[in-house]
């Protein structure tokens, strides 16, 4: 009883099915870099507006909408550095997370650890490498900043910081940045992996259903990661302005505005952060399909 008949095809085991459905089944990093680059290029103006809003820089405009639109306008100082940094960092995080998660699952680890550990490790590495470029890029967004007019404004700002405040100042705010970036991508990857399992399976031949499922996963992951880590974005950007350490900076803002600082710039940030993350996840799936992975 229960024996397979000769004419019946073998039934794939559960592990085989899960592996085939798991995110990042392809080891080719090209779809990740293509998706990250397209997202970074498309959403740079939103990043600029969020950076200005969270840093508390003043921009012209009589209403929040006018100020937001003004902050998005050119000049897009440091755009090549920001776009390049976002491209390699997001690609590395999502590719490293998918490959690390795949390896850990093969070793018998559960979904929770397999989704969180690789994303945390790669996020910390990427943030540490990018921090000098992140700080200089945010500081040259200040309206009227003289160094922003230089041919290579990021290099000019980094030289200025290293000369006037010491080389270690380039990594000021790294603790807040890691606390913000690593959980942001960890949450995004965790939700992406879990939602991929929770949502009802769709017929691979039904392109509309496949696209809708991919979009639901991507948007949920992006929004959750952005909203939950907004306070750490605010702390990091404030530290860039004041040269304070993280805890004194948080204490000062709390004494000045109460809990209001936790939500500063969130209306811009949830779009500026959620949209690129969601589009990167979604486009990675699309590029994998287009490239035949």
């Amino acid at each position: 009883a229960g024996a397979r008949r000769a004419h019946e095809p073998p039934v794939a085991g559960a592990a085989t099915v899960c592996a085939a459905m798991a995110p990042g089944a392809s080891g080719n990093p090209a779809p990740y870099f293509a998706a990250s680059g397209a997202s970074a290029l498309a959403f740079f103006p939103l990043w600029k507006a969020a950076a200005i809003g969270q840093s508390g820089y003043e921009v012209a405009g009589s209403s929040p909408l006018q100020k937001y639109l003004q902050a998005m306008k050119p000049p897009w100082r440091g755009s090549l550095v920001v776009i390049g940094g976002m491209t390699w960092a997001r690609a590395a995080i999502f590719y490293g997370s998918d490959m690390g998660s795949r390896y850990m699952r093969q070793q018998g680890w559960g979904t929770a650890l397999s989704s969180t550990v690789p994303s945390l490790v790669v996020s910390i590495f990427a943030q540490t490498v990018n921090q000098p470029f992140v700080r200089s890029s945010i500081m040259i967004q200040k309206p009227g900043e003289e160094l922003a007019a230089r041919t290579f404004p990021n290099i000019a700002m980094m030289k200025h910081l290293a000369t006037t405040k010491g080389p270690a100042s380039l990594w000021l705010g790294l603790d807040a940045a890691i606390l913000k970036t690593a959980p942001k991508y960890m949450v995004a990857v965790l939700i992406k992996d879990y939602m991929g399992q929770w949502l009802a399976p769709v017929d691979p031949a039904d392109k509309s259903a496949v696209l809708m499922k991919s979009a639901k996963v991507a948007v949920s992951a992006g929004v959750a990661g952005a909203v939950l880590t907004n306070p750490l974005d605010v702390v990091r950007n404030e530290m860039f302005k004041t040269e304070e350490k993280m805890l004194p900076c948080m204490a000062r803002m709390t004494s000045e505005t109460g809990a209001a600082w936790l939500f500063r710039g969130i209306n811009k940030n949830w779009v500026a952060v959620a949209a690129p993350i969601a589009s990167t996840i979604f486009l990675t799936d699309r590029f994998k399909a287009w490239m035949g992975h």
Side-chain angles (χ1 to χ4, degrees), residues 175-249:
D175 47 0
I178 288 176
L179 285 174
K180 165 254 180 181
T181 301
K184 176 179 69 178
Y185 284 103
M186 182 194 73
V187 168
V189 170
L190 190 63
I191 290 179
K192 173 176 72 74
D193 288 353
Y194 269 112
M195 281 196 69
Q197 297 177 13
W198 288 340
L199 291 177
V202 297
D203 182 358
D206 187 344
K207 292 184 178 181
S208 297
V210 171
L211 287 174
M212 183 58 66
K213 180 177 180 179
S214 180
K216 288 178 181 178
V217 171
V219 171
S220 299
V223 171
V227 172
L228 293 175
T229 58
N230 184 76
L232 293 167
D233 259 335
V234 175
V235 173
R236 180 199 62 182
N237 292 354
E238 190 71 16
M239 290 170 67
F240 290 164
K241 289 169 52 184
T242 63
E243 301 293 327
E244 293 173 285
K245 299 298 182 181
M246 184 171 68
L247 293 180
C249 182

Side-chain angles (χ1 to χ4, degrees), residues 250-265:
M250 294 170 69
R252 176 183 58 78
M253 289 192 292
T254 301
S255 67
E256 292 175 351
T257 65
W261 69 267
L262 297 170
F263 307 98
R264 190 169 82 186

